[in-house]
PDB file of all heavy atoms in Angstrom:
ATOM      1  N   SER A  37     -18.443 -82.165 -94.437  1.00  0.00           N
ATOM      2  CA  SER A  37     -17.486 -83.128 -94.941  1.00  0.00           C
ATOM      3  C   SER A  37     -18.106 -84.293 -95.678  1.00  0.00           C
ATOM      4  O   SER A  37     -17.349 -85.110 -96.308  1.00  0.00           O
ATOM      5  CB  SER A  37     -16.558 -83.631 -93.851  1.00  0.00           C
ATOM      6  OG  SER A  37     -17.365 -84.259 -92.870  1.00  0.00           O
ATOM      7  N   GLY A  38     -19.421 -84.522 -95.590  1.00  0.00           N
ATOM      8  CA  GLY A  38     -19.922 -85.706 -96.198  1.00  0.00           C
ATOM      9  C   GLY A  38     -21.396 -85.787 -96.291  1.00  0.00           C
ATOM     10  O   GLY A  38     -22.191 -84.893 -95.901  1.00  0.00           O
ATOM     11  N   LEU A  39     -21.855 -86.945 -96.795  1.00  0.00           N
ATOM     12  CA  LEU A  39     -23.261 -87.180 -97.087  1.00  0.00           C
ATOM     13  C   LEU A  39     -23.658 -88.627 -96.596  1.00  0.00           C
ATOM     14  O   LEU A  39     -22.863 -89.515 -96.783  1.00  0.00           O
ATOM     15  CB  LEU A  39     -23.506 -87.064 -98.593  1.00  0.00           C
ATOM     16  CG  LEU A  39     -24.816 -87.504 -99.183  1.00  0.00           C
ATOM     17  CD1 LEU A  39     -25.905 -86.512 -98.856  1.00  0.00           C
ATOM     18  CD2 LEU A  39     -24.740 -87.715-100.656  1.00  0.00           C
ATOM     19  N   LEU A  40     -24.842 -88.738 -96.050  1.00  0.00           N
ATOM     20  CA  LEU A  40     -25.379 -90.032 -95.733  1.00  0.00           C
ATOM     21  C   LEU A  40     -26.635 -90.176 -96.587  1.00  0.00           C
ATOM     22  O   LEU A  40     -27.493 -89.302 -96.574  1.00  0.00           O
ATOM     23  CB  LEU A  40     -25.782 -90.117 -94.224  1.00  0.00           C
ATOM     24  CG  LEU A  40     -26.582 -91.391 -93.808  1.00  0.00           C
ATOM     25  CD1 LEU A  40     -25.777 -92.661 -94.041  1.00  0.00           C
ATOM     26  CD2 LEU A  40     -27.035 -91.236 -92.341  1.00  0.00           C
ATOM     27  N   CYS A  41     -26.677 -91.300 -97.329  1.00  0.00           N
ATOM     28  CA  CYS A  41     -27.816 -91.601 -98.152  1.00  0.00           C
ATOM     29  C   CYS A  41     -28.160 -92.994 -98.017  1.00  0.00           C
ATOM     30  O   CYS A  41     -27.449 -93.852 -97.489  1.00  0.00           O
ATOM     31  CB  CYS A  41     -27.560 -91.160 -99.625  1.00  0.00           C
ATOM     32  SG  CYS A  41     -26.135 -91.913-100.396  1.00  0.00           S
ATOM     33  N   PHE A  42     -29.406 -93.389 -98.525  1.00  0.00           N
ATOM     34  CA  PHE A  42     -29.954 -94.711 -98.475  1.00  0.00           C
ATOM     35  C   PHE A  42     -30.161 -95.188 -99.917  1.00  0.00           C
ATOM     36  O   PHE A  42     -30.737 -94.510-100.749  1.00  0.00           O
ATOM     37  CB  PHE A  42     -31.237 -94.801 -97.682  1.00  0.00           C
ATOM     38  CG  PHE A  42     -31.848 -96.172 -97.678  1.00  0.00           C
ATOM     39  CD1 PHE A  42     -31.464 -97.063 -96.719  1.00  0.00           C
ATOM     40  CD2 PHE A  42     -32.884 -96.504 -98.591  1.00  0.00           C
ATOM     41  CE1 PHE A  42     -32.031 -98.336 -96.712  1.00  0.00           C
ATOM     42  CE2 PHE A  42     -33.396 -97.771 -98.558  1.00  0.00           C
ATOM     43  CZ  PHE A  42     -33.006 -98.640 -97.608  1.00  0.00           C
ATOM     44  N   ALA A  43     -29.737 -96.432-100.223  1.00  0.00           N
ATOM     45  CA  ALA A  43     -29.947 -96.965-101.588  1.00  0.00           C
ATOM     46  C   ALA A  43     -30.339 -98.464-101.480  1.00  0.00           C
ATOM     47  O   ALA A  43     -30.094 -99.120-100.401  1.00  0.00           O
ATOM     48  CB  ALA A  43     -28.667 -96.892-102.371  1.00  0.00           C
ATOM     49  N   GLU A  44     -31.055 -98.967-102.481  1.00  0.00           N
ATOM     50  CA  GLU A  44     -31.433-100.344-102.523  1.00  0.00           C
ATOM     51  C   GLU A  44     -30.292-101.222-102.995  1.00  0.00           C
ATOM     52  O   GLU A  44     -30.340-102.424-102.762  1.00  0.00           O
ATOM     53  CB  GLU A  44     -32.618-100.541-103.429  1.00  0.00           C
ATOM     54  CG  GLU A  44     -33.921 -99.929-102.859  1.00  0.00           C
ATOM     55  CD  GLU A  44     -35.104-100.098-103.766  1.00  0.00           C
ATOM     56  OE1 GLU A  44     -35.006-100.783-104.784  1.00  0.00           O
ATOM     57  OE2 GLU A  44     -36.156 -99.640-103.351  1.00  0.00           O
ATOM     58  N   LYS A  45     -29.268-100.611-103.627  1.00  0.00           N
ATOM     59  CA  LYS A  45     -28.088-101.303-104.145  1.00  0.00           C
ATOM     60  C   LYS A  45     -26.814-100.910-103.286  1.00  0.00           C
ATOM     61  O   LYS A  45     -26.679 -99.793-102.857  1.00  0.00           O
ATOM     62  CB  LYS A  45     -27.839-101.078-105.595  1.00  0.00           C
ATOM     63  CG  LYS A  45     -28.988-101.511-106.450  1.00  0.00           C
ATOM     64  CD  LYS A  45     -28.654-101.257-107.931  1.00  0.00           C
ATOM     65  CE  LYS A  45     -29.878-101.742-108.728  1.00  0.00           C
ATOM     66  NZ  LYS A  45     -29.551-101.677-110.153  1.00  0.00           N
ATOM     67  N   GLU A  46     -25.993-101.946-103.156  1.00  0.00           N
ATOM     68  CA  GLU A  46     -24.697-101.701-102.445  1.00  0.00           C
ATOM     69  C   GLU A  46     -23.722-100.968-103.302  1.00  0.00           C
ATOM     70  O   GLU A  46     -23.671-101.200-104.561  1.00  0.00           O
ATOM     71  CB  GLU A  46     -24.142-103.063-101.982  1.00  0.00           C
ATOM     72  CG  GLU A  46     -22.910-102.993-101.238  1.00  0.00           C
ATOM     73  CD  GLU A  46     -22.454-104.360-100.729  1.00  0.00           C
ATOM     74  OE1 GLU A  46     -22.936-105.380-101.287  1.00  0.00           O
ATOM     75  OE2 GLU A  46     -21.589-104.403 -99.849  1.00  0.00           O
ATOM     76  N   ILE A  47     -22.946-100.089-102.669  1.00  0.00           N
ATOM     77  CA  ILE A  47     -21.811 -99.467-103.377  1.00  0.00           C
ATOM     78  C   ILE A  47     -20.573 -99.816-102.533  1.00  0.00           C
ATOM     79  O   ILE A  47     -20.529 -99.649-101.321  1.00  0.00           O
ATOM     80  CB  ILE A  47     -21.960 -97.909-103.435  1.00  0.00           C
ATOM     81  CG1 ILE A  47     -23.229 -97.558-104.249  1.00  0.00           C
ATOM     82  CG2 ILE A  47     -20.725 -97.338-104.070  1.00  0.00           C
ATOM     83  CD1 ILE A  47     -23.475 -96.074-104.320  1.00  0.00           C
ATOM     84  N   ASN A  48     -19.535-100.367-103.216  1.00  0.00           N
ATOM     85  CA  ASN A  48     -18.392-100.821-102.529  1.00  0.00           C
ATOM     86  C   ASN A  48     -17.651 -99.707-101.796  1.00  0.00           C
ATOM     87  O   ASN A  48     -17.442 -98.622-102.381  1.00  0.00           O
ATOM     88  CB  ASN A  48     -17.399-101.513-103.504  1.00  0.00           C
ATOM     89  CG  ASN A  48     -17.966-102.791-104.047  1.00  0.00           C
ATOM     90  OD1 ASN A  48     -18.794-103.448-103.370  1.00  0.00           O
ATOM     91  ND2 ASN A  48     -17.521-103.187-105.195  1.00  0.00           N
ATOM     92  N   THR A  49     -17.142-100.003-100.657  1.00  0.00           N
ATOM     93  CA  THR A  49     -16.316 -99.033 -99.854  1.00  0.00           C
ATOM     94  C   THR A  49     -15.039 -98.718-100.657  1.00  0.00           C
ATOM     95  O   THR A  49     -14.527 -99.634-101.312  1.00  0.00           O
ATOM     96  CB  THR A  49     -15.944 -99.672 -98.486  1.00  0.00           C
ATOM     97  OG1 THR A  49     -17.162-100.017 -97.744  1.00  0.00           O
ATOM     98  CG2 THR A  49     -15.092 -98.722 -97.687  1.00  0.00           C
ATOM     99  N   GLY A  50     -14.672 -97.467-100.703  1.00  0.00           N
ATOM    100  CA  GLY A  50     -13.469 -97.034-101.384  1.00  0.00           C
ATOM    101  C   GLY A  50     -13.799 -96.547-102.771  1.00  0.00           C
ATOM    102  O   GLY A  50     -12.898 -95.981-103.463  1.00  0.00           O
ATOM    103  N   MET A  51     -15.007 -96.752-103.270  1.00  0.00           N
ATOM    104  CA  MET A  51     -15.346 -96.280-104.640  1.00  0.00           C
ATOM    105  C   MET A  51     -15.352 -94.775-104.674  1.00  0.00           C
ATOM    106  O   MET A  51     -15.860 -94.077-103.801  1.00  0.00           O
ATOM    107  CB  MET A  51     -16.711 -96.793-105.035  1.00  0.00           C
ATOM    108  CG  MET A  51     -16.872 -98.286-105.265  1.00  0.00           C
ATOM    109  SD  MET A  51     -16.298 -98.874-106.856  1.00  0.00           S
ATOM    110  CE  MET A  51     -17.217 -97.844-108.030  1.00  0.00           C
ATOM    111  N   LEU A  52     -14.855 -94.249-105.798  1.00  0.00           N
ATOM    112  CA  LEU A  52     -14.986 -92.807-106.096  1.00  0.00           C
ATOM    113  C   LEU A  52     -16.308 -92.588-106.837  1.00  0.00           C
ATOM    114  O   LEU A  52     -16.580 -93.306-107.772  1.00  0.00           O
ATOM    115  CB  LEU A  52     -13.814 -92.328-106.940  1.00  0.00           C
ATOM    116  CG  LEU A  52     -13.860 -90.845-107.315  1.00  0.00           C
ATOM    117  CD1 LEU A  52     -13.701 -89.946-106.089  1.00  0.00           C
ATOM    118  CD2 LEU A  52     -12.748 -90.529-108.320  1.00  0.00           C
ATOM    119  N   VAL A  53     -17.150 -91.750-106.283  1.00  0.00           N
ATOM    120  CA  VAL A  53     -18.506 -91.515-106.809  1.00  0.00           C
ATOM    121  C   VAL A  53     -18.692 -90.042-107.143  1.00  0.00           C
ATOM    122  O   VAL A  53     -18.020 -89.173-106.571  1.00  0.00           O
ATOM    123  CB  VAL A  53     -19.567 -91.987-105.886  1.00  0.00           C
ATOM    124  CG1 VAL A  53     -19.484 -93.507-105.703  1.00  0.00           C
ATOM    125  CG2 VAL A  53     -19.590 -91.264-104.573  1.00  0.00           C
ATOM    126  N   SER A  54     -19.613 -89.766-108.047  1.00  0.00           N
ATOM    127  CA  SER A  54     -19.959 -88.335-108.328  1.00  0.00           C
ATOM    128  C   SER A  54     -21.472 -88.235-108.313  1.00  0.00           C
ATOM    129  O   SER A  54     -22.198 -89.202-108.536  1.00  0.00           O
ATOM    130  CB  SER A  54     -19.389 -87.825-109.686  1.00  0.00           C
ATOM    131  OG  SER A  54     -19.832 -88.638-110.722  1.00  0.00           O
ATOM    132  N   PHE A  55     -21.928 -87.057-108.005  1.00  0.00           N
ATOM    133  CA  PHE A  55     -23.379 -86.775-107.844  1.00  0.00           C
ATOM    134  C   PHE A  55     -23.609 -85.318-107.896  1.00  0.00           C
ATOM    135  O   PHE A  55     -22.735 -84.551-107.842  1.00  0.00           O
ATOM    136  CB  PHE A  55     -23.975 -87.428-106.630  1.00  0.00           C
ATOM    137  CG  PHE A  55     -23.242 -87.079-105.366  1.00  0.00           C
ATOM    138  CD1 PHE A  55     -23.600 -86.030-104.567  1.00  0.00           C
ATOM    139  CD2 PHE A  55     -22.063 -87.748-105.004  1.00  0.00           C
ATOM    140  CE1 PHE A  55     -22.976 -85.663-103.419  1.00  0.00           C
ATOM    141  CE2 PHE A  55     -21.351 -87.438-103.845  1.00  0.00           C
ATOM    142  CZ  PHE A  55     -21.762 -86.346-103.055  1.00  0.00           C
ATOM    143  N   LYS A  56     -24.949 -84.930-107.972  1.00  0.00           N
ATOM    144  CA  LYS A  56     -25.292 -83.502-107.982  1.00  0.00           C
ATOM    145  C   LYS A  56     -26.270 -83.330-106.855  1.00  0.00           C
ATOM    146  O   LYS A  56     -27.205 -84.105-106.668  1.00  0.00           O
ATOM    147  CB  LYS A  56     -25.916 -83.092-109.264  1.00  0.00           C
ATOM    148  CG  LYS A  56     -24.951 -83.163-110.384  1.00  0.00           C
ATOM    149  CD  LYS A  56     -25.567 -82.798-111.758  1.00  0.00           C
ATOM    150  CE  LYS A  56     -24.522 -82.871-112.837  1.00  0.00           C
ATOM    151  NZ  LYS A  56     -25.117 -82.755-114.159  1.00  0.00           N
ATOM    152  N   LEU A  57     -26.061 -82.266-106.101  1.00  0.00           N
ATOM    153  CA  LEU A  57     -26.993 -81.872-105.004  1.00  0.00           C
ATOM    154  C   LEU A  57     -27.744 -80.644-105.457  1.00  0.00           C
ATOM    155  O   LEU A  57     -27.190 -79.740-106.074  1.00  0.00           O
ATOM    156  CB  LEU A  57     -26.185 -81.578-103.732  1.00  0.00           C
ATOM    157  CG  LEU A  57     -25.495 -82.711-103.100  1.00  0.00           C
ATOM    158  CD1 LEU A  57     -24.703 -82.272-101.886  1.00  0.00           C
ATOM    159  CD2 LEU A  57     -26.464 -83.764-102.591  1.00  0.00           C
ATOM    160  N   THR A  58     -29.023 -80.597-105.115  1.00  0.00           N
ATOM    161  CA  THR A  58     -29.853 -79.405-105.414  1.00  0.00           C
ATOM    162  C   THR A  58     -30.114 -78.666-104.123  1.00  0.00           C
ATOM    163  O   THR A  58     -30.558 -79.240-103.142  1.00  0.00           O
ATOM    164  CB  THR A  58     -31.198 -79.925-106.064  1.00  0.00           C
ATOM    165  OG1 THR A  58     -30.853 -80.659-107.214  1.00  0.00           O
ATOM    166  CG2 THR A  58     -32.078 -78.681-106.402  1.00  0.00           C
ATOM    167  N   ILE A  59     -29.760 -77.388-104.227  1.00  0.00           N
ATOM    168  CA  ILE A  59     -30.023 -76.490-103.093  1.00  0.00           C
ATOM    169  C   ILE A  59     -31.256 -75.583-103.457  1.00  0.00           C
ATOM    170  O   ILE A  59     -31.043 -74.733-104.362  1.00  0.00           O
ATOM    171  CB  ILE A  59     -28.788 -75.704-102.805  1.00  0.00           C
ATOM    172  CG1 ILE A  59     -27.593 -76.616-102.427  1.00  0.00           C
ATOM    173  CG2 ILE A  59     -29.003 -74.715-101.600  1.00  0.00           C
ATOM    174  CD1 ILE A  59     -26.258 -76.002-102.392  1.00  0.00           C
ATOM    175  N   PRO A  60     -32.335 -75.807-102.875  1.00  0.00           N
ATOM    176  CA  PRO A  60     -33.531 -75.008-103.210  1.00  0.00           C
ATOM    177  C   PRO A  60     -33.490 -73.636-102.635  1.00  0.00           C
ATOM    178  O   PRO A  60     -32.864 -73.439-101.576  1.00  0.00           O
ATOM    179  CB  PRO A  60     -34.680 -75.818-102.643  1.00  0.00           C
ATOM    180  CG  PRO A  60     -34.069 -76.629-101.532  1.00  0.00           C
ATOM    181  CD  PRO A  60     -32.626 -76.791-101.811  1.00  0.00           C
ATOM    182  N   SER A  61     -34.193 -72.699-103.240  1.00  0.00           N
ATOM    183  CA  SER A  61     -34.390 -71.357-102.683  1.00  0.00           C
ATOM    184  C   SER A  61     -35.746 -70.917-103.139  1.00  0.00           C
ATOM    185  O   SER A  61     -36.453 -71.574-103.913  1.00  0.00           O
ATOM    186  CB  SER A  61     -33.295 -70.393-103.077  1.00  0.00           C
ATOM    187  OG  SER A  61     -33.502 -70.021-104.460  1.00  0.00           O
ATOM    188  N   ASP A  62     -36.181 -69.761-102.704  1.00  0.00           N
ATOM    189  CA  ASP A  62     -37.486 -69.230-103.021  1.00  0.00           C
ATOM    190  C   ASP A  62     -37.650 -68.894-104.519  1.00  0.00           C
ATOM    191  O   ASP A  62     -38.731 -69.199-105.096  1.00  0.00           O
ATOM    192  CB  ASP A  62     -37.841 -67.955-102.225  1.00  0.00           C
ATOM    193  CG  ASP A  62     -38.003 -68.243-100.748  1.00  0.00           C
ATOM    194  OD1 ASP A  62     -38.308 -69.400-100.422  1.00  0.00           O
ATOM    195  OD2 ASP A  62     -37.820 -67.292 -99.948  1.00  0.00           O
ATOM    196  N   LYS A  63     -36.608 -68.373-105.124  1.00  0.00           N
ATOM    197  CA  LYS A  63     -36.727 -67.977-106.553  1.00  0.00           C
ATOM    198  C   LYS A  63     -36.279 -69.032-107.505  1.00  0.00           C
ATOM    199  O   LYS A  63     -36.864 -69.167-108.593  1.00  0.00           O
ATOM    200  CB  LYS A  63     -35.905 -66.717-106.778  1.00  0.00           C
ATOM    201  CG  LYS A  63     -36.429 -65.530-105.974  1.00  0.00           C
ATOM    202  CD  LYS A  63     -35.581 -64.287-106.228  1.00  0.00           C
ATOM    203  CE  LYS A  63     -36.102 -63.115-105.351  1.00  0.00           C
ATOM    204  NZ  LYS A  63     -35.252 -61.998-105.486  1.00  0.00           N
ATOM    205  N   SER A  64     -35.284 -69.802-107.163  1.00  0.00           N
ATOM    206  CA  SER A  64     -34.806 -70.856-108.054  1.00  0.00           C
ATOM    207  C   SER A  64     -34.023 -71.895-107.243  1.00  0.00           C
ATOM    208  O   SER A  64     -33.949 -71.733-106.025  1.00  0.00           O
ATOM    209  CB  SER A  64     -33.940 -70.242-109.191  1.00  0.00           C
ATOM    210  OG  SER A  64     -32.757 -69.728-108.598  1.00  0.00           O
ATOM    211  N   SER A  65     -33.406 -72.781-107.860  1.00  0.00           N
ATOM    212  CA  SER A  65     -32.623 -73.728-107.174  1.00  0.00           C
ATOM    213  C   SER A  65     -31.211 -73.803-107.839  1.00  0.00           C
ATOM    214  O   SER A  65     -31.029 -73.421-108.967  1.00  0.00           O
ATOM    215  CB  SER A  65     -33.192 -75.147-107.107  1.00  0.00           C
ATOM    216  OG  SER A  65     -33.322 -75.638-108.431  1.00  0.00           O
ATOM    217  N   LEU A  66     -30.216 -74.263-107.042  1.00  0.00           N
ATOM    218  CA  LEU A  66     -28.846 -74.354-107.512  1.00  0.00           C
ATOM    219  C   LEU A  66     -28.447 -75.811-107.513  1.00  0.00           C
ATOM    220  O   LEU A  66     -28.711 -76.512-106.518  1.00  0.00           O
ATOM    221  CB  LEU A  66     -27.936 -73.519-106.533  1.00  0.00           C
ATOM    222  CG  LEU A  66     -26.451 -73.628-106.813  1.00  0.00           C
ATOM    223  CD1 LEU A  66     -26.073 -72.962-108.168  1.00  0.00           C
ATOM    224  CD2 LEU A  66     -25.737 -72.930-105.661  1.00  0.00           C
ATOM    225  N   THR A  67     -27.855 -76.311-108.546  1.00  0.00           N
ATOM    226  CA  THR A  67     -27.387 -77.636-108.637  1.00  0.00           C
ATOM    227  C   THR A  67     -25.938 -77.610-108.561  1.00  0.00           C
ATOM    228  O   THR A  67     -25.189 -76.923-109.344  1.00  0.00           O
ATOM    229  CB  THR A  67     -27.871 -78.355-109.973  1.00  0.00           C
ATOM    230  OG1 THR A  67     -29.297 -78.317-109.955  1.00  0.00           O
ATOM    231  CG2 THR A  67     -27.365 -79.749-109.994  1.00  0.00           C
ATOM    232  N   VAL A  68     -25.338 -78.420-107.613  1.00  0.00           N
ATOM    233  CA  VAL A  68     -23.896 -78.350-107.336  1.00  0.00           C
ATOM    234  C   VAL A  68     -23.311 -79.762-107.639  1.00  0.00           C
ATOM    235  O   VAL A  68     -23.706 -80.762-106.986  1.00  0.00           O
ATOM    236  CB  VAL A  68     -23.650 -77.999-105.834  1.00  0.00           C
ATOM    237  CG1 VAL A  68     -22.180 -77.909-105.564  1.00  0.00           C
ATOM    238  CG2 VAL A  68     -24.336 -76.727-105.528  1.00  0.00           C
ATOM    239  N   PRO A  69     -22.336 -79.843-108.552  1.00  0.00           N
ATOM    240  CA  PRO A  69     -21.721 -81.104-108.764  1.00  0.00           C
ATOM    241  C   PRO A  69     -20.734 -81.484-107.658  1.00  0.00           C
ATOM    242  O   PRO A  69     -20.052 -80.580-107.151  1.00  0.00           O
ATOM    243  CB  PRO A  69     -20.925 -80.932-110.115  1.00  0.00           C
ATOM    244  CG  PRO A  69     -20.709 -79.444-110.165  1.00  0.00           C
ATOM    245  CD  PRO A  69     -21.854 -78.762-109.427  1.00  0.00           C
ATOM    246  N   CYS A  70     -20.715 -82.770-107.206  1.00  0.00           N
ATOM    247  CA  CYS A  70     -19.879 -83.108-106.116  1.00  0.00           C
ATOM    248  C   CYS A  70     -19.298 -84.489-106.423  1.00  0.00           C
ATOM    249  O   CYS A  70     -19.728 -85.243-107.218  1.00  0.00           O
ATOM    250  CB  CYS A  70     -20.747 -83.292-104.802  1.00  0.00           C
ATOM    251  SG  CYS A  70     -21.588 -81.814-104.280  1.00  0.00           S
ATOM    252  N   GLU A  71     -18.206 -84.771-105.658  1.00  0.00           N
ATOM    253  CA  GLU A  71     -17.641 -86.125-105.735  1.00  0.00           C
ATOM    254  C   GLU A  71     -17.122 -86.536-104.367  1.00  0.00           C
ATOM    255  O   GLU A  71     -16.896 -85.665-103.504  1.00  0.00           O
ATOM    256  CB  GLU A  71     -16.539 -86.198-106.783  1.00  0.00           C
ATOM    257  CG  GLU A  71     -15.237 -85.598-106.427  1.00  0.00           C
ATOM    258  CD  GLU A  71     -14.125 -85.849-107.485  1.00  0.00           C
ATOM    259  OE1 GLU A  71     -14.464 -86.145-108.631  1.00  0.00           O
ATOM    260  OE2 GLU A  71     -12.950 -85.800-107.082  1.00  0.00           O
ATOM    261  N   GLY A  72     -17.036 -87.793-104.156  1.00  0.00           N
ATOM    262  CA  GLY A  72     -16.633 -88.282-102.870  1.00  0.00           C
ATOM    263  C   GLY A  72     -16.189 -89.675-102.892  1.00  0.00           C
ATOM    264  O   GLY A  72     -16.275 -90.372-103.974  1.00  0.00           O
ATOM    265  N   ILE A  73     -15.713 -90.203-101.813  1.00  0.00           N
ATOM    266  CA  ILE A  73     -15.315 -91.594-101.673  1.00  0.00           C
ATOM    267  C   ILE A  73     -16.230 -92.249-100.648  1.00  0.00           C
ATOM    268  O   ILE A  73     -16.549 -91.693 -99.581  1.00  0.00           O
ATOM    269  CB  ILE A  73     -13.847 -91.696-101.139  1.00  0.00           C
ATOM    270  CG1 ILE A  73     -12.944 -91.115-102.195  1.00  0.00           C
ATOM    271  CG2 ILE A  73     -13.469 -93.104-100.786  1.00  0.00           C
ATOM    272  CD1 ILE A  73     -11.484 -91.061-101.785  1.00  0.00           C
ATOM    273  N   VAL A  74     -16.679 -93.457-101.004  1.00  0.00           N
ATOM    274  CA  VAL A  74     -17.588 -94.208-100.108  1.00  0.00           C
ATOM    275  C   VAL A  74     -16.768 -94.716 -98.934  1.00  0.00           C
ATOM    276  O   VAL A  74     -15.875 -95.518 -99.064  1.00  0.00           O
ATOM    277  CB  VAL A  74     -18.283 -95.413-100.854  1.00  0.00           C
ATOM    278  CG1 VAL A  74     -19.133 -96.229 -99.900  1.00  0.00           C
ATOM    279  CG2 VAL A  74     -19.105 -94.853-101.998  1.00  0.00           C
ATOM    280  N   LEU A  75     -17.143 -94.192 -97.725  1.00  0.00           N
ATOM    281  CA  LEU A  75     -16.433 -94.679 -96.539  1.00  0.00           C
ATOM    282  C   LEU A  75     -16.995 -95.910 -95.911  1.00  0.00           C
ATOM    283  O   LEU A  75     -16.348 -96.736 -95.361  1.00  0.00           O
ATOM    284  CB  LEU A  75     -16.428 -93.522 -95.452  1.00  0.00           C
ATOM    285  CG  LEU A  75     -15.672 -92.274 -95.753  1.00  0.00           C
ATOM    286  CD1 LEU A  75     -15.812 -91.306 -94.543  1.00  0.00           C
ATOM    287  CD2 LEU A  75     -14.209 -92.570 -96.047  1.00  0.00           C
ATOM    288  N   LYS A  76     -18.391 -95.946 -95.946  1.00  0.00           N
ATOM    289  CA  LYS A  76     -19.110 -97.140 -95.428  1.00  0.00           C
ATOM    290  C   LYS A  76     -20.344 -97.408 -96.220  1.00  0.00           C
ATOM    291  O   LYS A  76     -20.943 -96.501 -96.764  1.00  0.00           O
ATOM    292  CB  LYS A  76     -19.560 -96.853 -93.982  1.00  0.00           C
ATOM    293  CG  LYS A  76     -18.480 -96.972 -92.890  1.00  0.00           C
ATOM    294  CD  LYS A  76     -19.056 -96.670 -91.571  1.00  0.00           C
ATOM    295  CE  LYS A  76     -19.504 -97.878 -90.827  1.00  0.00           C
ATOM    296  NZ  LYS A  76     -19.888 -97.639 -89.500  1.00  0.00           N
ATOM    297  N   CYS A  77     -20.720 -98.675 -96.229  1.00  0.00           N
ATOM    298  CA  CYS A  77     -21.995 -99.091 -96.878  1.00  0.00           C
ATOM    299  C   CYS A  77     -22.553-100.247 -96.002  1.00  0.00           C
ATOM    300  O   CYS A  77     -22.063-101.315 -96.036  1.00  0.00           O
ATOM    301  CB  CYS A  77     -21.726 -99.578 -98.254  1.00  0.00           C
ATOM    302  SG  CYS A  77     -23.234 -99.932 -99.218  1.00  0.00           S
ATOM    303  N   ASP A  78     -23.473 -99.857 -95.137  1.00  0.00           N
ATOM    304  CA  ASP A  78     -24.073-100.777 -94.127  1.00  0.00           C
ATOM    305  C   ASP A  78     -25.415-101.294 -94.567  1.00  0.00           C
ATOM    306  O   ASP A  78     -26.255-100.451 -94.902  1.00  0.00           O
ATOM    307  CB  ASP A  78     -24.149-100.117 -92.745  1.00  0.00           C
ATOM    308  CG  ASP A  78     -22.757 -99.779 -92.192  1.00  0.00           C
ATOM    309  OD1 ASP A  78     -21.785-100.513 -92.451  1.00  0.00           O
ATOM    310  OD2 ASP A  78     -22.692 -98.743 -91.460  1.00  0.00           O
TER     311      ASP A  78
END
């Protein structure tokens, strides 16, 4: 259901964000586009 990441810059709670995740494998990797809402920024 979600992602935890660390950043040097704050992102406001409630912001709609998009990003790509890379799923590695032995032969190649898969890049998956994702979007989500920032629930917390501590």
Side-chain angles (χ1 to χ4, degrees):
S37 61
L39 171 73
L40 171 62
C41 55
F42 177 84
E44 292 181 2
K45 296 184 180 187
E46 183 176 15
I47 301 177
N48 292 334
T49 301
M51 291 277 310
L52 180 63
V53 297
S54 60
F55 52 96
K56 294 177 182 171
L57 294 173
T58 301
I59 301 170
S61 73
D62 291 338
K63 296 180 182 177
S64 65
S65 60
L66 173 67
T67 300
V68 182
C70 300
E71 72 173 26
I73 295 176
V74 176
L75 294 181
K76 281 179 96 175
C77 185
D78 294 328

